[in-house]
Amino acid sequence: MWIFALLGNGLFLLATLVASIRCLTLWRRTRQSPELVAGLGFFLVAGVGYPLLAISGIDGRSVADVDPWLLGAGLGFISLGLVSLQHFTRQTFHAGQGWTIAPVALTCLAAVVVCWGSVRAMLVAPPDMPPLEAAQVWMLGVRLIFEAWYVW
């Protein structure tokens, strides 16, 4: 089963990195903000955040295997990427609509809470507890932040 997870995540990361490179290359030509924020968003998620999560040890057997600060940094970069992508949505599809600052601001707030909660969960959990069990609620928070981008 792990081979399917590896294949799925690998394809996601590859596609996201290709999209980020294409957006940033387009931005170099156009100097338009939407291309920049989309490219940065994709790159921060797939090029920085996910690799940091992978080397943090979050998929290890126990909390003792996890570097909580790398976990926090990975979640932080993923969150920054998602905020950037929400800003892209705001600029591109909802330009001039004042209410759209609320979802971006809520994403920023939620990202800070989720990063803090995830790091804290690793620091206070028993060393033999599985990391995904220790941070289950916080990992759900990351997923909800990601899914919230699609709603609007």
Side-chain angles (χ1 to χ4, degrees):
M1 189 58 88
W2 65 268
I3 192 75
F4 294 117
L6 183 65
L7 182 63
N9 283 325
L11 289 174
F12 166 75
L13 291 175
L14 180 64
T16 306
L17 283 172
V18 168
S20 74
I21 291 167
R22 291 192 55 129
C23 286
L24 291 171
T25 302
L26 181 61
W27 171 75
R28 286 188 66 197
R29 257 195 347 252
T30 66
R31 296 292 190 216
Q32 297 294 311
S33 181
E35 291 90 341
L36 176 63
V37 294
L40 283 176
F42 288 135
F43 183 75
L44 289 172
V45 169
V48 182
Y50 273 97
L52 285 173
L53 280 183
I55 64 173
S56 76
I58 190 66
D59 61 344
R61 294 189 182 272
S62 71
V63 168
D65 299 332
V66 178
D67 182 328
W69 307 111
L70 279 177
L71 172 68
L75 291 173
F77 280 109
I78 289 171
S79 297
L80 282 173
L82 295 174
V83 168
S84 184
L85 290 170
Q86 284 199 358
H87 185 61
F88 166 80
T89 300
R90 182 172 185 258
Q91 280 186 319
T92 306
F93 302 109
H94 302 287
Q97 297 177 7
W99 67 269
T100 59
I101 193 68
V104 177
L106 286 173
T107 299
C108 289
L109 177 63
V112 169
V113 170
V114 165
C115 290
W116 174 83
S118 299
V119 170
R120 185 177 181 283
M122 292 300 124
L123 292 173
V124 300
D128 59 338
M129 179 180 265
L132 293 177
E133 184 180 317
Q136 186 174 12
V137 171
W138 303 109
M139 293 298 128
L140 177 62
V142 171
R143 190 70 197 173
L144 290 175
I145 290 171
F146 203 104
E147 300 302 328
W149 173 46
Y150 300 117
V151 172
W152 62 287

